């Protein structure tokens, strides 16, 4: 069985499979004229200026673009408001009573539909409450919730009054929440009494209480009553207020959207990097909106009568750009789902698609691989014929998963857009356009119009077609992050210093003979576990914060469903004897410090770690051991005997 599977993947990889755009797309796609690529690259600023016409501005720009790396400004001098564009402007059209958000809760029958008029009312009431509770333009607001409409409403309310939000993924620990709040100095926190996940309540309020023991900047906490009886929730006298009471108090107050500079901060989103401390990428108003509006419309070929479902979590950038801002600014109907794909059964996604007649689905390769493992009998029970386009994002998709997605979810007809991008880029940058690009399973195909990507070698020289190297971007795009909050030096060092004049993505990629891009993965110390970015240093810091641990080295190992999983090699403080129980405790410790997504899949106790003579841990050797590969160069190792020892221990542990 294993052999057949392997053989099949190889066949897929070597077979030159191509899928031409479906006829329905060549005839009707939002973009079906191939000259768009040439037109955009001949004058990228004119191109983005044209795209910007789809946004409503209170005041036009003086300049489309100014600055040089690493500081850029888009649409300087212009004034707009993202919330106005996502909500208010639809009310003067027939979309007023169109569904903006169709929400499905995890518990079986919960479901809410908000029209654009509903969204307008709720956003205004929330904005009024925030103002009443002391939030002013420029103040930061942290949002720590599950996937409930109140999260989107809060984000839009923040955008309305010009208070940048920082959404903290509901799966993060109190420590992670505290660090993020303190890094950006948030004044308010909006959270909930819980979030449903596989039938269990994630204790968001309790986590928030724990985090807030060390957050002096937080004045007020608004709590959404979602999971339990409100009387059972402990509220902190002066600090905590109920969302429903505050919304009631707001009545039908209308809060005028602030006329904000195009470069006014819209949000800060933390993501893992190569150090132990996550970095807060800052996204601003005008350019970001132009970028996400344009890509949503053309990559997903979004039409007014589509039901669109991005199944990501709003805690990550995909949810910001392609659940909230991109779709709403286009006046789309979006599905939002609270829970897990396998609760209460493994057909949950397909049931949601059938029930809502979803036309466009956007999800991650890790989810597709899980669906494959569960078997086609689950999707087969549902009518998925409404699907006309499917997307993937977050990690490289193996051709086998791509083909399975196409065959069993897309009925062998639905085109797939594999979209490459990052928290930093704000919008999709390498992706097929469904009416124009012939796809190859596993390839993100070509840069979006106006984007100049390249693959370069160590010295920054272009690698010819057929070769691989570092993925870089050579010209700016409007939705790019502007800096790392509070750390402009790191912004420069991390992205702009390695190859002068180019943005360094941290990814490696290859280009085939036809110029198609194939993303290979990270080349830095960032792991991609089930589509989530996790820094090896973050996990290492979490491990060494345990009193039993002296040193830790963390690497990524291949995992059939998650793509990558975390393996940790740990040495203990002398005098402490390790056993199975301690291993479990250490894994749990990481989950508590960061969040369950960072729990190491494997943890090994070793007497020593392989180091260079200058004391640097040689992770690549650990990677070789874990992947069962022939050792790469070991000559710089201080004590070559250490490796043999680790290898033995690793093998003894049953690997
Ligand atoms: C990876 C998620 C291959 C990549 C939007 C990138 C991908 C990192 C793809 C960013 C894709 C994202 N194919 N790899 N289609 N999309 N990646 O910031 O390594 O959470 O650098 O943004 O995910 O992850 P982030």
């Amino acid at each position: 069985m294993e052999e057949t599977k392997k053989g099949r993947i190889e066949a897929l990889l070597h077979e030159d499979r191509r899928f031409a755009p479906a006829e329905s797309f060549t005839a009707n796609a939002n973009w079906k004229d191939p000259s768009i690529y040439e037109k955009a690259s001949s004058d990228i600023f004119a191109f983005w200026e044209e795209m910007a016409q789809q946004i409503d501005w209170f005041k036009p720009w003086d300049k489309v673009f100014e600055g040089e790396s690493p500081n850029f400004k888009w649409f300087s001098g212009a004034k707009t408001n993202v919330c106005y564009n996502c909500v208010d402007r639809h009310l003067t059209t027939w979309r007023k009573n169109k569904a903006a958000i169709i929400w499905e809760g995890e518990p079986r029958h919960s479901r809410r539909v908000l029209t654009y008029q509903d969204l307008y009312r709720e956003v205004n009431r929330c904005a009024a409450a925030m103002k009443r509770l002391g939030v002013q333009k420029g103040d930061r607001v942290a949002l720590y919730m599950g996937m409930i409409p109140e999260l989107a409403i809060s984000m839009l309310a923040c955008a309305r009054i010009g208070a940048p939000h920082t959404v903290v993924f509901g799966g993060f620990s109190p420590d992670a929440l505290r660090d993020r709040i303190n890094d950006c100095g948030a004044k308010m926190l909006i959270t909930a009494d819980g979030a449903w996940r596989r039938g269990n309540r994630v204790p968001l309020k309790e986590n928030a209480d724990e985090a807030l023991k060390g957050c002096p900047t937080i004045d007020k906490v608004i709590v959404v009553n979602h999971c339990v009886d409100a009387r059972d929730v402990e509220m902190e006298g002066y600090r905590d207020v109920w969302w429903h009471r505050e919304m009631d108090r707001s009545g039908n107050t209308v809060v005028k959207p602030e006329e904000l500079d195009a470069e006014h901060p819209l949000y800060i989103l933390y993501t893992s990097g190569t150090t132990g401390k996550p970095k807060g990428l800052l996204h601003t108003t005008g350019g970001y909106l132009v970028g996400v509006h344009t890509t949503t419309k053309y990559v997903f070929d979004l039409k007014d009568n589509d039901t669109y479902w991005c199944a990501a979590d709003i805690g990550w950038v995909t949810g910001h750009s392609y659940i909230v801002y991109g779709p709403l600014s286009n006046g789309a109907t979006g599905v939002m789902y609270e829970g897990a794909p396998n609760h209460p059964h493994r057909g949950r996604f397909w049931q949601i698609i059938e029930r809502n007649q979803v036309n466009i689905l956007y999800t991650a390769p890790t989810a597709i691989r899980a669906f494959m493992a569960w078997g086609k009998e689950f999707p087969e029970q549902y009518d998925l014929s409404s699907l006309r386009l499917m997307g993937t994002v977050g990690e490289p998709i193996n051709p086998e998963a791509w083909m399975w997605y196409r065959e069993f979810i897309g009925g062998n007809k639905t085109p797939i857009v594999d979209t490459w991008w990052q928290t930093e880029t704000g919008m999709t940058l390498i992706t097929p356009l469904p009416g124009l690009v012939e796809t190859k399973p596993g390839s993100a195909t070509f840069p979006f119009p106006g984007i100049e990507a390249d693959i370069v070698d160590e010295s920054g020289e272009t690698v010819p077609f057929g070769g691989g190297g570092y993925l870089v971007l050579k010209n700016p795009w409007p939705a790019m992050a502007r800096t790392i909050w509070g750390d402009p030096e790191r912004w420069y060092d991390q992205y702009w210093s390695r190859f002068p004049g180019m943005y360094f993505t941290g990814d490696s990629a290859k280009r085939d003979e036809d110029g198609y891009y194939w993303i290979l993965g990270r080349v830095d110390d960032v792991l991609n576990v089930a589509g989530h970015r996790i820094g090896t240093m973050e996990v290492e810091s979490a491990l060494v914060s345990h009193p039993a641990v002296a040193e830790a080295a963390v690497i990524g190992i291949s995992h059939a469903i998650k793509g990558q999983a975390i393996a940790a090699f740990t040495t203990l403080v002398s005098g402490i004897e390790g056993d199975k129980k301690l291993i479990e405790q250490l894994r749990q410790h990481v989950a508590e410090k960061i969040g369950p997504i960072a729990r190491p899949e494997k943890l090994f106790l070793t007497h020593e770690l392989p180091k260079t003579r200058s004391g640097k841990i040689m992770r690549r050797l650990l990677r070789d051991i874990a992947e069962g590969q022939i050792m790469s160069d070991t000559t710089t190792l201080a004590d070559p005997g250490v490796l043999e020892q680790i290898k033995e221990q690793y093998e003894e542990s049953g690997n």
Side-chain angles (χ1 to χ4, degrees):
M1 153 71 199
E2 218 33 55
E3 270 308 296
T4 358
K5 208 168 126 198
K6 222 170 123 202
R8 198 169 153 210
I9 297 173
E10 301 212 322
L12 283 168
L13 274 169
H14 290 112
E15 207 173 290
D16 188 16
R17 260 186 216 253
R18 294 155 183 267
F19 295 95
E23 251 171 60
S24 52
F25 285 85
T26 44
N28 303 314
N30 287 342
W31 265 339
K32 46 185 185 287
D33 178 356
S35 67
I36 187 69
Y37 283 102
E38 219 172 285
K39 188 178 147 197
S41 57
S42 69
D43 186 344
I44 61 163
F45 301 119
F47 169 72
W48 287 116
E49 189 160 31
E50 190 185 325
M51 293 302 115
Q53 308 296 336
Q54 302 183 42
I55 299 305
D56 286 3
W57 304 83
F58 300 126
K59 178 175 175 281
W61 47 92
D62 304 320
K63 270 195 174 158
V64 180
F65 174 79
E66 55 183 333
E68 51 189 61
S69 81
N71 300 309
F72 307 95
K73 283 185 179 172
W74 281 85
F75 307 107
S76 8
K79 290 205 185 285
T80 187
N81 183 290
V82 170
C83 177
Y84 177 88
N85 275 280
C86 289
V87 185
D88 304 43
R89 67 164 166 167
H90 303 309
L91 302 187
T92 52
T93 72
W94 65 270
R95 296 191 190 95
K96 177 177 168 221
N97 292 320
K98 180 181 175 178
I101 297 175
I102 298 174
W103 177 81
E104 295 237 1
E106 192 187 79
R108 238 164 231 275
H109 296 294
S110 49
R111 188 181 157 85
R112 281 160 66 190
V113 178
L114 282 98
T115 64
Y116 276 93
Q117 177 65 39
D118 292 333
L119 197 56
Y120 176 78
R121 185 186 60 246
E122 300 302 303
V123 166
N124 272 290
R125 299 205 304 169
C126 178
M130 283 168 55
K131 284 184 101 164
R132 201 169 53 237
L133 295 167
V135 177
Q136 292 176 358
K137 178 176 158 184
D139 288 342
R140 274 80 62 209
V141 176
L143 309 174
Y144 180 60
M145 281 181 256
M147 287 285 289
I148 51 176
E150 286 79 359
L151 176 52
I153 292 166
S154 309
M155 291 163 79
L156 292 162
C158 285
R160 191 170 192 84
I161 64 175
H165 56 70
T166 187
V167 179
V168 180
F169 172 57
F172 275 132
S173 67
D175 279 4
L177 174 62
R178 182 189 305 125
D179 289 348
R180 285 157 177 76
I181 288 176
N182 288 339
D183 187 80
C184 70
K187 191 169 186 184
M188 171 180 272
L189 170 69
I190 308 185
T191 186
D193 61 13
W196 292 118
R197 190 77 189 167
R198 284 196 190 88
N200 299 315
R201 182 182 69 91
V202 181
L204 296 176
K205 174 68 166 72
E206 291 88 329
N207 288 351
D209 286 341
E210 181 60 31
L212 293 185
K213 286 180 186 160
C215 297
T217 55
I218 294 283
D219 259 1
K220 287 280 175 198
V221 179
I222 305 185
V223 186
V224 178
N225 184 206
H226 177 58
C227 293
V228 297
D229 190 318
R231 285 166 300 191
D232 296 334
V233 178
E234 268 194 46
M235 299 290 273
E236 178 85 28
Y238 167 80
R239 190 192 70 186
D240 299 351
V241 294
W242 282 112
W243 168 281
H244 53 274
R245 294 235 179 98
E246 292 305 317
M247 295 290 271
D248 276 354
R249 283 180 69 190
S250 295
N252 283 332
T253 314
V254 169
V255 176
K256 193 172 162 291
E258 288 280 339
E259 299 194 2
L260 300 171
D261 278 348
E263 284 299 337
H264 187 80
L266 175 66
Y267 67 80
I268 300 161
L269 185 58
Y270 287 84
T271 189
S272 296
T274 49
T275 69
K277 188 171 166 268
K279 48 196 175 185
L281 274 312
L282 175 72
H283 283 285
T284 59
T285 298
Y288 176 79
L289 185 61
V290 171
V292 299
H293 179 96
T294 308
T295 44
T296 307
K297 179 163 173 183
Y298 297 107
V299 173
F300 299 113
D301 188 46
L302 195 61
K303 303 278 177 21
D304 250 320
N305 53 1
D306 279 323
T307 302
Y308 161 93
W309 181 22
C310 168
D313 192 290
I314 294 179
W316 312 109
V317 75
T318 305
H320 283 59
S321 297
Y322 298 113
I323 295 179
V324 181
Y325 294 121
L328 294 175
S329 119
N330 277 282
T333 294
V335 171
M336 180 174 174
Y337 173 52
E338 175 184 24
N342 55 355
H343 193 85
H345 53 77
R346 291 175 164 180
R348 188 64 197 255
F349 263 38
W350 322 123
Q351 182 185 47
I352 291 174
I353 290 177
E354 180 184 83
R355 183 156 24 162
N356 296 290
Q357 291 292 291
V358 169
N359 307 106
I360 302 167
L361 172 67
Y362 192 29
T363 188
T366 188
I368 298 167
R369 289 190 296 262
F371 298 141
M372 278 173 82
W374 297 341
K376 63 181 168 40
E377 52 275 28
F378 295 98
E380 272 172 1
Q381 290 164 27
Y382 297 89
D383 172 17
L384 304 179
S385 62
S386 58
L387 285 174
R388 68 177 195 90
L389 181 73
M390 306 185 302
T392 77
V393 59
E395 48 175 327
I397 180 163
N398 45 315
E400 232 224 345
W402 198 102
M403 288 303 295
W404 190 92
Y405 195 29
R406 182 178 156 92
E407 199 173 329
F408 297 108
I409 309 305
N412 258 327
K413 63 172 174 49
T414 309
I416 296 175
V417 288
D418 172 2
T419 63
W420 174 89
W421 58 295
Q422 309 178 301
T423 306
E424 294 84 345
T425 70
M427 63 188 245
T428 286
L429 295 187
I430 302 182
T431 172
L433 288 174
L436 289 171
V437 175
E438 194 170 61
T439 51
K440 297 186 185 185
S443 164
T445 73
F446 302 110
F448 190 79
I451 303 301
E452 194 192 345
D454 200 2
I455 292 174
V456 298
D457 61 19
E458 286 290 341
S459 58
E461 294 297 320
T462 298
V463 174
F465 285 9
Y470 301 106
L471 180 65
V472 296
L473 299 159
K474 288 185 155 173
N475 56 26
W477 61 99
M480 65 204 303
R482 299 297 193 260
T483 189
I484 293 175
W485 184 264
D487 200 349
E489 266 170 44
R490 192 170 170 202
W491 167 245
Y492 172 76
D493 289 347
Q494 184 102 30
Y495 305 103
W496 304 95
S497 64
R498 173 101 185 240
F499 303 111
M502 303 178 210
Y503 168 89
F504 175 46
T505 60
D507 279 335
S508 67
K510 67 173 202 220
R511 232 171 347 201
D512 66 18
E513 303 293 343
D514 302 322
Y516 279 68
Y517 283 77
W518 300 74
I519 315 292
L520 300 172
R522 305 288 307 189
V523 288
D524 51 10
D525 293 324
V526 174
L527 307 179
N528 192 326
V529 179
H532 302 319
R533 261 167 84 163
I534 298 169
T536 51
M537 291 271 282
E538 265 175 274
V539 182
E540 288 168 5
S541 321
L543 280 167
V544 294
S545 74
H546 190 283
V549 175
E551 267 190 317
V554 163
I555 57 161
I557 50 174
S558 317
H559 187 281
I561 290 177
K562 297 178 182 172
Q564 268 191 320
I566 298 174
F569 294 79
T570 313
T571 61
L572 298 180
V573 169
S574 68
I576 296 189
E577 275 303 306
D579 56 9
K580 277 221 157 76
K581 208 169 132 222
L582 182 65
I583 291 181
E584 249 338 283
Q585 269 176 16
L586 294 179
R587 293 177 65 228
Q588 184 55 23
H589 178 73
V590 177
E592 279 163 19
K593 277 273 161 194
I594 303 175
I597 54 166
R599 187 196 312 269
E601 183 90 7
K602 300 216 156 112
L603 195 140
F604 307 100
L605 302 177
T606 68
H607 297 303
E608 259 182 275
L609 293 172
K611 287 188 189 154
T612 59
R613 276 169 221 120
S614 59
K616 212 168 162 259
I617 297 174
M618 297 183 75
R619 289 188 186 72
R620 85 183 145 77
L621 296 180
L622 295 173
R623 228 169 281 142
D624 289 348
I625 294 179
E627 302 282 3
Q629 281 171 6
I630 299 168
M631 292 285 161
S632 32
D633 186 11
T634 56
T635 47
T636 46
L637 208 58
D639 173 8
V642 170
L643 270 189
E644 282 311 311
Q645 232 180 49
I646 299 178
K647 222 166 133 189
E648 259 167 45
Q649 282 165 330
Y650 184 79
E651 276 152 15
E652 269 167 28
S653 65
N655 289 282

